[in-house]
Amino acid sequence: MTRPRKTTESAAQAAAWQELEDVGCIGMGLRQAMRQATQILDAGLKPAGIAITQFAPLAHLYRDGPLGMGELAERIGADPTTLTRVLRPLERRGLLSQEIAAEDRRRRLIRLTSQGRAAFLHALPLWQQAQAEIVARLGSVEAQALRQQLAQASQRLSR
């Protein structure tokens, strides 16, 4: 990543560029690793017609039953607007439905349909295989350490 220095760079700018070249940007590194892992997971889930971004909401709805949009968004670590875009194609395919909550008519519950449950059960072993491929590429010790580091980072960065 070495680049020619501009003569007008301040000492602080030069130090920042040097740090970027020496250790890299954490955000860019996370994005690159996430993109590569997403490609493996999406390829693995392709036979089920589900993307990894859709797998997590299906998994939570399968395990927990109907959830409100806010609850589901919180559980998968997404904002409700993004989640709405993720769920829309699943609803069009008949994998989930939305209904008004009996206890609060302002609240909408998202529920898996029987087709959604079947789609999730079809996707689950495909996800496990893709997950195993990622672990094999990283190494099991490194994969476990990465999981722990990501959990710690998420907790500390959310403060």
Side-chain angles (χ1 to χ4, degrees), residues 58 63 87 154:
L58 291 177
R63 184 188 67 194
L87 297 180
S154 180

Side-chain angles (χ1 to χ4, degrees), residues 84-136:
T84 298
R85 284 194 307 270
V86 168
L87 297 180
R88 198 171 294 133
L90 297 174
E91 189 172 11
R92 280 194 301 262
R93 288 177 51 196
L95 303 184
L96 55 86
S97 64
Q98 292 190 42
E99 60 191 47
I100 296 172
E103 71 280 357
D104 182 353
R105 298 196 50 77
R106 296 170 296 176
R107 187 168 178 244
R108 298 185 70 77
L109 292 176
I110 302 160
R111 170 188 308 275
L112 276 184
T113 64
S114 59
Q115 294 159 305
R117 284 189 293 281
F120 173 73
L121 291 174
H122 178 225
L124 185 58
L126 300 172
W127 171 82
Q128 288 173 309
Q129 290 171 356
Q131 186 83 353
E133 180 180 342
I134 292 171
V135 170

Side-chain angles (χ1 to χ4, degrees), residues 16-38:
W17 277 110
Q18 190 62 50
E19 180 180 1
L20 184 59
E21 290 172 356
D22 291 346
V23 298
C25 172
I26 291 171
M28 287 189 292
L30 285 170
R31 283 185 162 281
Q32 184 176 20
M34 185 177 79
R35 185 175 58 250
Q36 292 162 342
T38 297

Side-chain angles (χ1 to χ4, degrees), residues 46-62:
K46 191 172 184 168
I50 294 172
I52 190 58
T53 54
Q54 298 168 327
F55 181 81
L58 291 177
H60 282 279
L61 292 169
Y62 183 86

